[in-house]
Amino acid sequence: MPKNTSVAAHLRRLLELLAAGAPAEDFGAVATEARRSRAGADDLAEIEQATQAALRVHSALRQHQRREAELTALFDTAGDLAALRDLDAVLRSIVRRARMLLGTDTAYLTLPDEEAGDTFMRVTDGSVSVLFQNLRLQLGEGLGGLVAQTARPYATPDYRTDERFHHTHSIDAGVLDEGLVAILGVPLLLGSGSGGKVIGALFAADRTPRTFSPDEVALLCSLANHAAIAIDTAKAMTDARVALAELAEANAVIRERSAAMQRAEESHDRLSDLVLRGGDVADVAAAVADLLQGDVTVFDAGGWPLTETARGADPAGWSAAHDATGDDRNGDDGNGGGPAPAGAAAAVVRAAEDSRATAHAVLHDGRWVCAALAGQEMLGSLVLSGRPDLDGPDRRLFERSSVVTSLLLLLRRSVAETENRVRGDLITDLLTAPDRDPAGLVARGRNLGIDLNRPHLVLVASTDADVRERLAGAAVQYLFGTGSVSAEHAGTVMLVPAGGAAPGETARAAAEQLTHLVGAPVTVAGAGPAAGPRALADAHAEAARCVQALQVLGRRGAGGSAGELGFLGVLLGKDHDVEGFVAATLGPLLEYDERRGTQLVRTLAAYFGCGGSLTRAKEELHVHINTVVQRLDRIQAILGPGWNSPEHALELQLALRLRLLSLS
């Protein structure tokens, strides 16, 4: 009975070890204990047989556990693939599971680089060597190169001494730096049989010698198959996303082109209807501004605005305040336009020339500019601001609107030329016989939209004989769209602007622009304002005399008025404004004498009367010569250092004589 009890105790101990999952070496301790307790030979044989059976059961359980772990890993990997969001995350998970299941020091996965023609490390786990992590393998080099070339798994217990592989310095250096010895590599295959394609390789490696079992090779192959599926799925998803993106882009392009065609059709109908209803350039500018959601201004060929900015803003900064040259062409007559500085006008012209050269709208300083052409003749330009990002359809719409604008500008010019010829006949009659029928001249003017009884400035423009035929056309172009009139007379051109500032300022602005349009110096003189046929004829005569004086004085291409020519203006002017000339010439000295009680004017008269002799002047004034010198210094301080120049001295002496006459 005790014997049986002893055997039963040992058998129970074996069952307890199996239940606890004890390691295999613990089972041998049961038989050892039986021998130590001097069990009988039959009992000892029975215990040893039971121990062998328990070890077999233990081995089977461990295999089942390992298989269960492998299946769990494979199921987890399959789950990762089913929820694939990030390919790198899935590949890292596969490599990490390979390392865990095979119990290796490291695991890694390589993929081919089709552009470079080699293989590179895509994912590593457990690696510590930067050199190893950046290895690149050519096809057939090393264990990995052989796996990729043959599409078969390879394992080595000691890579460094294994002569089956083509060793290279870079690969061996990387393996040595990582400290790897045993390596197992399996291919990532898409498809099966001879038609399979290798898209990479999966590896497990130890830093000590090791022989990989067939089960471990099979397990790594299973994980490699999952990795291949993940890569192929990710590629398919990427291709699908690209295809969807391209399809969406194509649909967007189709919708955009459809919308552009519809918009172009609507825009064409709108502009055509506008022209057929008798719309003007300003109406076209307003319509285009509304269609393009920007600010549109129409300029003439000289860069002057023909319309106000359609949406109420400054026309792209190109019609700002006047500069020092007084570039107010004719003021604002209510027909659009208005002043623009010469620099701004030049900028518009340059941009329009660029547009004509390219036959398209051009972007200039953040504004789109399109030339309005009749053949190669520049009629004007359209300027669009507020839309620097003008796209293709809108840009083509802007360019088409310039064609409509060209047609309207041609029509306006034709009407203006016809009207100007009729108005020119009126001006000719006004200048040749202003007193013959003043009431009839006024009535004819009203019929042509000119109120001769309203004050007008009168300009007379003259240029060289060889370009004189261009001047009349340039005057029409300069006044185009302003409601003003011009006419040829006696080799010059008379201009009657619809508005303006002082005659000299208006004349200078006209001279600058006409010189630009003619391409040669144009001299312009202004007179007025004058109202009524006779006064207008007299103003023309004064301006004509002033033009001659400007040319004689060597001021060709300049502008001015008789009132700005000093004593010559007194001689040339109709009213001979003596008091105005004296006040303009001697005014500062007269004011100084009156305010300080000095005698600068008397000293100046004595100085000139004595021929510039200080000695004779001091005797006539009965003062010390130093007093004369001090007074002349004061005169120079007031009148400027050029007071004694021949031209200025002549004006001063004439003013002194005229003042003396007026006092007598």
Side-chain angles (χ1 to χ4, degrees):
M1 187 69 181
K3 174 183 174 182
N4 292 333
T5 301
S6 176
V7 171
H10 290 300
L11 293 178
R12 185 170 59 252
R13 177 59 180 164
L14 290 173
L15 291 174
E16 290 173 351
L17 291 174
L18 284 174
E25 54 268 21
D26 290 352
F27 288 85
V30 175
T32 302
E33 181 63 26
R35 293 189 190 95
R36 188 179 296 119
S37 62
R38 299 180 179 180
D42 294 337
D43 292 342
L44 187 59
E46 186 175 351
I47 292 171
E48 288 179 348
Q49 291 176 2
T51 300
Q52 293 300 320
L55 287 172
R56 287 194 296 274
V57 172
H58 178 272
S59 177
L61 288 174
R62 296 299 292 268
Q63 288 180 353
H64 285 307
Q65 290 172 351
R66 184 172 66 250
R67 187 58 180 166
E68 181 181 358
E70 294 172 356
L71 290 175
T72 300
L74 293 177
F75 281 129
D76 290 343
T77 302
D80 290 343
L81 292 177
L84 181 64
R85 293 293 182 270
D86 183 356
L87 176 62
D88 284 339
V90 174
L91 294 181
R92 283 195 298 270
S93 176
I94 291 173
V95 171
R96 187 164 53 253
R97 287 182 182 131
R99 180 189 176 200
M100 178 187 67
L101 291 175
L102 272 67
T104 55
D105 296 322
T106 184
Y108 51 96
L109 184 146
T110 62
L111 293 180
D113 186 337
E114 296 181 358
E115 293 185 1
D118 58 9
T119 300
F120 68 97
M121 293 283 185
R122 176 64 182 270
V123 181
T124 64
D125 190 76
S127 173
V128 296
S129 169
V130 176
L131 179 62
F132 180 76
Q133 293 166 10
N134 290 283
L135 269 183
R136 301 187 74 92
L137 294 78
Q138 298 293 331
L139 192 65
E141 293 180 351
L143 185 148
L146 192 59
V147 170
Q149 185 179 46
T150 62
R152 294 173 55 190
Y154 278 89
T156 176
D158 188 349
Y159 174 78
R160 289 172 289 187
T161 61
D162 198 329
E163 298 298 330
R164 291 178 299 163
F165 312 112
H166 176 56
H167 291 265
T168 67
H169 174 73
S170 60
I171 297 175
D172 288 351
V175 171
L176 179 62
D177 193 54
E178 187 64 55
L180 300 182
V181 178
I183 303 176
L184 168 62
V186 298
L188 275 61
L189 283 172
L190 282 180
S192 59
S194 59
K197 178 183 178 182
V198 178
I199 62 170
L202 179 63
F203 300 87
D206 259 339
R207 295 188 176 90
T208 58
R210 170 178 175 174
T211 300
F212 292 96
S213 68
D215 288 342
E216 292 173 326
V217 175
L219 173 60
L220 197 61
C221 285
S222 297
L223 291 172
N225 290 336
H226 282 80
I229 294 172
I231 294 171
D232 188 51
T233 302
K235 183 178 183 301
M237 292 179 66
T238 300
D239 292 343
R241 284 194 293 268
V242 171
L244 287 174
E246 291 176 349
L247 181 60
E249 184 178 353
N251 287 334
V253 171
I254 292 173
R255 287 195 298 270
E256 181 182 349
R257 289 183 178 177
S258 177
M261 290 178 62
Q262 182 178 358
R263 187 179 182 193
E265 182 178 352
E266 294 173 352
S267 302
H268 180 270
D269 292 343
R270 180 172 175 180
L271 293 177
S272 299
D273 182 65
L274 191 154
V275 173
L276 292 175
R277 286 189 291 104
D280 198 0
V281 173
D283 299 317
V284 172
V288 175
D290 184 56
L291 289 168
L292 297 180
Q293 294 299 298
D295 298 319
V296 176
T297 306
V298 180
F299 291 84
D300 66 11
W304 297 91
L306 297 177
T307 65
E308 295 178 350
T309 303
R311 289 168 62 88
D314 185 281
W318 278 342
S319 61
H322 316 317
D323 62 6
T325 60
D327 292 301
D328 184 350
R329 179 169 59 169
N330 294 310
D332 189 351
D333 64 350
N335 296 324
V348 175
V349 172
R350 286 194 299 271
E353 289 293 344
D354 292 342
S355 174
R356 175 165 64 175
T358 61
H360 290 288
V362 297
L363 186 63
H364 186 88
D365 291 340
R367 313 162 183 90
W368 286 96
V369 181
C370 189
L373 304 173
Q376 285 300 310
E377 181 185 359
M378 178 77 72
L379 299 178
S381 60
L382 276 75
V383 174
L384 170 66
S385 61
R387 285 293 309 276
D389 58 339
L390 199 65
D391 57 12
D394 283 352
R395 183 175 175 182
R396 287 190 291 273
L397 170 59
F398 181 53
E399 292 171 347
R400 281 194 292 269
S401 67
S402 71
V403 177
V404 177
T405 304
S406 298
L407 293 175
L408 291 177
L409 289 175
L410 276 175
L411 178 61
R412 284 184 61 177
R413 189 173 71 176
S414 178
V415 172
E417 288 175 349
T418 301
E419 292 179 348
N420 203 63
R421 282 195 295 272
V422 178
R423 290 174 176 175
D425 294 339
L426 171 65
I427 295 299
T428 299
D429 292 343
L430 174 68
L431 297 180
T432 55
D435 299 321
R436 181 183 302 166
D437 184 12
L441 291 173
V442 171
R444 287 169 59 189
R446 287 200 185 98
N447 292 333
L448 296 175
I450 305 174
D451 185 0
L452 296 180
N453 285 331
R454 185 168 68 88
H456 291 276
L457 292 181
V458 175
L459 304 180
V460 173
S462 177
T463 188
D464 299 336
D466 56 342
V467 292
R468 189 170 295 161
E469 69 278 1
R470 303 183 201 165
L471 183 56
V476 172
Q477 186 175 352
Y478 173 64
L479 298 177
F480 178 52
T482 64
S484 304
V485 65
S486 65
E488 292 185 83
H489 183 74
T492 62
V493 173
M494 174 184 178
L495 298 87
V496 183
E505 181 181 348
T506 305
R508 281 187 290 275
E512 180 179 351
Q513 289 303 308
L514 290 174
T515 296
H516 172 73
L517 293 172
V518 172
V522 176
T523 309
V524 181
R534 165 49 61 187
L536 288 171
D538 291 342
H540 173 269
E542 178 180 326
R545 291 193 298 270
C546 185
V547 162
Q548 294 178 346
L550 289 172
Q551 293 173 332
V552 170
L553 293 174
R555 295 173 59 182
R556 291 173 60 255
S561 65
E564 298 172 341
L565 295 181
F567 74 91
L568 287 177
V570 175
L571 300 176
L572 298 174
K574 171 181 175 293
D575 297 327
H576 304 294
D577 185 10
V578 174
E579 291 184 2
F581 172 69
V582 172
T585 307
L586 296 177
L589 298 180
L590 292 170
E591 292 176 4
Y592 191 90
D593 281 347
E594 183 177 357
R595 189 171 64 253
R596 299 292 184 90
T598 55
Q599 297 185 18
L600 297 184
V601 174
R602 181 167 176 260
T603 301
L604 185 64
Y607 175 74
F608 282 132
C610 296
S613 171
L614 296 176
T615 302
R616 292 171 55 193
K618 66 102 175 175
E619 293 175 352
E620 182 173 335
L621 294 170
H622 305 290
V623 296
H624 193 276
I625 191 171
N626 290 340
T627 302
V628 177
V629 172
Q630 291 172 359
R631 290 178 179 179
L632 292 178
D633 289 342
R634 177 58 59 186
I635 291 171
Q636 177 170 310
I638 295 174
L639 299 181
W643 70 275
N644 204 17
S645 63
E647 181 180 352
H648 200 174
L650 177 60
E651 290 189 354
L652 288 172
Q653 292 180 63
L654 179 59
L656 289 169
R657 294 294 181 91
L658 291 174
R659 178 174 179 271
L660 182 61
L661 290 174
S662 65
L663 294 176
S664 61

Short mmCIF file of all heavy atoms in Angstrom, two decimals, residues 106-138:
data_model
loop_
_atom_site.label_atom_id
_atom_site.label_comp_id
_atom_site.label_asym_id
_atom_site.label_seq_id
_atom_site.Cartn_x
_atom_site.Cartn_y
_atom_site.Cartn_z
N THR A 106 16.26 41.33 -33.37
CA THR A 106 15.82 42.39 -34.28
C THR A 106 15.03 41.78 -35.42
O THR A 106 15.12 40.57 -35.69
CB THR A 106 17.03 43.18 -34.83
OG1 THR A 106 16.55 44.25 -35.65
CG2 THR A 106 17.94 42.32 -35.66
N ALA A 107 14.26 42.63 -36.08
CA ALA A 107 13.54 42.26 -37.29
C ALA A 107 13.47 43.49 -38.18
O ALA A 107 13.48 44.63 -37.68
CB ALA A 107 12.14 41.75 -36.95
N TYR A 108 13.39 43.26 -39.48
CA TYR A 108 13.36 44.40 -40.39
C TYR A 108 12.72 43.99 -41.71
O TYR A 108 12.58 42.79 -42.01
CB TYR A 108 14.76 44.98 -40.61
CG TYR A 108 15.82 43.98 -41.00
CD1 TYR A 108 16.17 43.78 -42.33
CD2 TYR A 108 16.51 43.27 -40.02
CE1 TYR A 108 17.15 42.88 -42.69
CE2 TYR A 108 17.51 42.36 -40.37
CZ TYR A 108 17.82 42.16 -41.70
OH TYR A 108 18.79 41.27 -42.07
N LEU A 109 12.34 45.01 -42.48
CA LEU A 109 11.66 44.78 -43.77
C LEU A 109 12.28 45.70 -44.80
O LEU A 109 12.52 46.89 -44.53
CB LEU A 109 10.17 45.07 -43.62
CG LEU A 109 9.26 44.80 -44.82
CD1 LEU A 109 7.89 44.31 -44.33
CD2 LEU A 109 9.05 46.06 -45.67
N THR A 110 12.57 45.16 -45.98
CA THR A 110 13.17 45.95 -47.06
C THR A 110 12.21 46.00 -48.24
O THR A 110 11.45 45.06 -48.49
CB THR A 110 14.52 45.36 -47.52
OG1 THR A 110 14.30 44.04 -48.04
CG2 THR A 110 15.50 45.31 -46.37
N LEU A 111 12.28 47.10 -48.98
CA LEU A 111 11.47 47.28 -50.19
C LEU A 111 12.37 47.74 -51.33
O LEU A 111 13.39 48.40 -51.10
CB LEU A 111 10.38 48.33 -49.95
CG LEU A 111 9.27 47.96 -48.97
CD1 LEU A 111 8.28 49.11 -48.85
CD2 LEU A 111 8.55 46.69 -49.39
N PRO A 112 11.99 47.42 -52.56
CA PRO A 112 12.82 47.84 -53.70
C PRO A 112 12.59 49.32 -54.03
O PRO A 112 11.50 49.86 -53.86
CB PRO A 112 12.32 46.95 -54.85
CG PRO A 112 10.91 46.63 -54.49
CD PRO A 112 10.87 46.56 -52.99
N ASP A 113 13.66 49.98 -54.48
CA ASP A 113 13.59 51.35 -54.99
C ASP A 113 13.73 51.27 -56.51
O ASP A 113 14.83 51.07 -57.03
CB ASP A 113 14.72 52.19 -54.38
CG ASP A 113 14.61 53.66 -54.75
OD1 ASP A 113 13.97 53.96 -55.78
OD2 ASP A 113 15.17 54.50 -54.03
N GLU A 114 12.59 51.39 -57.20
CA GLU A 114 12.61 51.18 -58.64
C GLU A 114 13.44 52.23 -59.37
O GLU A 114 14.08 51.95 -60.38
CB GLU A 114 11.18 51.18 -59.18
CG GLU A 114 10.34 50.01 -58.64
CD GLU A 114 8.94 50.02 -59.21
OE1 GLU A 114 8.63 50.96 -59.98
OE2 GLU A 114 8.18 49.10 -58.88
N GLU A 115 13.44 53.47 -58.86
CA GLU A 115 14.23 54.52 -59.52
C GLU A 115 15.72 54.28 -59.35
O GLU A 115 16.50 54.42 -60.30
CB GLU A 115 13.85 55.89 -58.96
CG GLU A 115 12.43 56.34 -59.30
CD GLU A 115 12.16 57.74 -58.82
OE1 GLU A 115 13.09 58.36 -58.25
OE2 GLU A 115 11.03 58.23 -59.01
N ALA A 116 16.15 53.91 -58.13
CA ALA A 116 17.57 53.67 -57.87
C ALA A 116 18.02 52.29 -58.31
O ALA A 116 19.22 52.04 -58.47
CB ALA A 116 17.87 53.87 -56.39
N GLY A 117 17.07 51.34 -58.48
CA GLY A 117 17.43 49.99 -58.91
C GLY A 117 18.03 49.14 -57.80
O GLY A 117 18.76 48.20 -58.08
N ASP A 118 17.74 49.46 -56.52
CA ASP A 118 18.27 48.66 -55.43
C ASP A 118 17.18 48.49 -54.37
O ASP A 118 16.00 48.74 -54.63
CB ASP A 118 19.53 49.31 -54.83
CG ASP A 118 19.25 50.74 -54.32
OD1 ASP A 118 18.07 51.14 -54.29
OD2 ASP A 118 20.21 51.45 -53.97
N THR A 119 17.58 48.01 -53.17
CA THR A 119 16.64 47.75 -52.09
C THR A 119 17.06 48.56 -50.87
O THR A 119 18.26 48.71 -50.61
CB THR A 119 16.62 46.25 -51.74
OG1 THR A 119 16.23 45.52 -52.90
CG2 THR A 119 15.64 45.96 -50.63
N PHE A 120 16.08 49.07 -50.12
CA PHE A 120 16.39 49.90 -48.96
C PHE A 120 15.61 49.42 -47.75
O PHE A 120 14.60 48.72 -47.86
CB PHE A 120 16.07 51.36 -49.24
CG PHE A 120 14.59 51.64 -49.39
CD1 PHE A 120 13.85 52.12 -48.32
CD2 PHE A 120 13.94 51.41 -50.59
CE1 PHE A 120 12.50 52.37 -48.44
CE2 PHE A 120 12.59 51.65 -50.73
CZ PHE A 120 11.87 52.13 -49.65
N MET A 121 16.09 49.79 -46.57
CA MET A 121 15.41 49.47 -45.31
C MET A 121 14.16 50.35 -45.17
O MET A 121 14.26 51.56 -45.11
CB MET A 121 16.35 49.72 -44.12
CG MET A 121 17.54 48.79 -44.06
SD MET A 121 17.06 47.18 -43.44
CE MET A 121 18.68 46.39 -43.35
N ARG A 122 12.99 49.70 -45.06
CA ARG A 122 11.76 50.46 -44.88
C ARG A 122 11.38 50.54 -43.41
O ARG A 122 11.02 51.61 -42.92
CB ARG A 122 10.64 49.80 -45.68
CG ARG A 122 9.27 50.44 -45.50
CD ARG A 122 9.25 51.86 -46.03
NE ARG A 122 7.96 52.50 -45.81
CZ ARG A 122 6.94 52.47 -46.65
NH1 ARG A 122 7.07 51.80 -47.79
NH2 ARG A 122 5.82 53.07 -46.37
N VAL A 123 11.44 49.40 -42.69
CA VAL A 123 11.06 49.37 -41.27
C VAL A 123 12.05 48.49 -40.53
O VAL A 123 12.44 47.42 -41.02
CB VAL A 123 9.63 48.82 -41.09
CG1 VAL A 123 9.26 48.81 -39.60
CG2 VAL A 123 8.62 49.62 -41.88
N THR A 124 12.48 48.92 -39.34
CA THR A 124 13.33 48.09 -38.48
C THR A 124 12.74 48.10 -37.07
O THR A 124 12.06 49.04 -36.67
CB THR A 124 14.78 48.61 -38.43
OG1 THR A 124 14.78 49.90 -37.83
CG2 THR A 124 15.40 48.68 -39.81
N ASP A 125 13.00 47.01 -36.33
CA ASP A 125 12.57 46.92 -34.93
C ASP A 125 13.68 46.25 -34.14
O ASP A 125 14.12 45.15 -34.49
CB ASP A 125 11.27 46.12 -34.81
CG ASP A 125 10.68 46.21 -33.41
OD1 ASP A 125 10.11 47.25 -33.08
OD2 ASP A 125 10.83 45.24 -32.64
N GLY A 126 14.17 46.91 -33.12
CA GLY A 126 15.26 46.37 -32.32
C GLY A 126 16.63 46.74 -32.84
O GLY A 126 17.64 46.35 -32.26
N SER A 127 16.69 47.50 -33.90
CA SER A 127 17.98 47.90 -34.48
C SER A 127 18.56 49.07 -33.70
O SER A 127 17.83 49.97 -33.27
CB SER A 127 17.81 48.28 -35.95
OG SER A 127 19.01 48.82 -36.47
N VAL A 128 19.90 49.08 -33.56
CA VAL A 128 20.57 50.16 -32.84
C VAL A 128 21.62 50.84 -33.70
O VAL A 128 22.22 51.82 -33.27
CB VAL A 128 21.24 49.62 -31.55
CG1 VAL A 128 20.19 49.11 -30.58
CG2 VAL A 128 22.25 48.51 -31.86
N SER A 129 21.84 50.35 -34.90
CA SER A 129 22.91 50.86 -35.76
C SER A 129 22.32 51.74 -36.86
O SER A 129 21.51 51.28 -37.67
CB SER A 129 23.71 49.72 -36.39
OG SER A 129 24.57 50.19 -37.41
N VAL A 130 22.74 53.01 -36.90
CA VAL A 130 22.29 53.91 -37.96
C VAL A 130 22.83 53.44 -39.31
O VAL A 130 22.14 53.53 -40.34
CB VAL A 130 22.75 55.35 -37.67
CG1 VAL A 130 22.39 56.28 -38.82
CG2 VAL A 130 22.14 55.86 -36.37
N LEU A 131 24.06 52.92 -39.31
CA LEU A 131 24.66 52.41 -40.54
C LEU A 131 23.82 51.28 -41.10
O LEU A 131 23.53 51.23 -42.31
CB LEU A 131 26.09 51.93 -40.26
CG LEU A 131 26.86 51.34 -41.45
CD1 LEU A 131 27.02 52.38 -42.55
CD2 LEU A 131 28.22 50.82 -41.00
N PHE A 132 23.39 50.36 -40.23
CA PHE A 132 22.58 49.23 -40.67
C PHE A 132 21.20 49.71 -41.15
O PHE A 132 20.67 49.23 -42.16
CB PHE A 132 22.42 48.22 -39.53
CG PHE A 132 21.59 47.02 -39.89
CD1 PHE A 132 22.10 46.00 -40.67
CD2 PHE A 132 20.27 46.91 -39.46
CE1 PHE A 132 21.34 44.90 -41.01
CE2 PHE A 132 19.49 45.82 -39.79
CZ PHE A 132 20.03 44.80 -40.56
N GLN A 133 20.62 50.69 -40.45
CA GLN A 133 19.29 51.17 -40.80
C GLN A 133 19.27 51.89 -42.15
O GLN A 133 18.20 52.03 -42.75
CB GLN A 133 18.78 52.12 -39.71
CG GLN A 133 18.53 51.43 -38.38
CD GLN A 133 18.37 52.43 -37.23
OE1 GLN A 133 18.26 53.64 -37.45
NE2 GLN A 133 18.36 51.92 -36.01
N ASN A 134 20.41 52.33 -42.62
CA ASN A 134 20.49 53.05 -43.90
C ASN A 134 21.14 52.21 -45.00
O ASN A 134 21.54 52.75 -46.03
CB ASN A 134 21.26 54.35 -43.73
CG ASN A 134 20.47 55.37 -42.92
OD1 ASN A 134 19.55 56.00 -43.41
ND2 ASN A 134 20.83 55.50 -41.64
N LEU A 135 21.23 50.89 -44.78
CA LEU A 135 21.82 50.01 -45.80
C LEU A 135 20.98 49.99 -47.07
O LEU A 135 19.75 50.04 -47.02
CB LEU A 135 21.94 48.58 -45.26
CG LEU A 135 23.24 48.19 -44.55
CD1 LEU A 135 23.19 46.72 -44.15
CD2 LEU A 135 24.45 48.45 -45.45
N ARG A 136 21.65 49.86 -48.20
CA ARG A 136 20.98 49.66 -49.49
C ARG A 136 21.66 48.47 -50.16
O ARG A 136 22.89 48.38 -50.20
CB ARG A 136 21.06 50.91 -50.37
CG ARG A 136 20.44 52.14 -49.75
CD ARG A 136 20.39 53.30 -50.72
NE ARG A 136 19.36 53.13 -51.73
CZ ARG A 136 18.11 53.59 -51.61
NH1 ARG A 136 17.74 54.22 -50.50
NH2 ARG A 136 17.24 53.42 -52.58
N LEU A 137 20.84 47.54 -50.68
CA LEU A 137 21.35 46.30 -51.24
C LEU A 137 21.00 46.23 -52.72
O LEU A 137 19.85 46.47 -53.11
CB LEU A 137 20.76 45.07 -50.53
CG LEU A 137 21.10 44.82 -49.07
CD1 LEU A 137 20.30 45.73 -48.15
CD2 LEU A 137 20.84 43.36 -48.71
N GLN A 138 22.00 45.88 -53.53
CA GLN A 138 21.76 45.62 -54.93
C GLN A 138 21.17 44.21 -55.08
O GLN A 138 21.34 43.35 -54.21
CB GLN A 138 23.05 45.74 -55.74
CG GLN A 138 23.67 47.13 -55.72
CD GLN A 138 22.83 48.16 -56.44
OE1 GLN A 138 22.10 47.83 -57.38
NE2 GLN A 138 22.92 49.41 -55.97
#
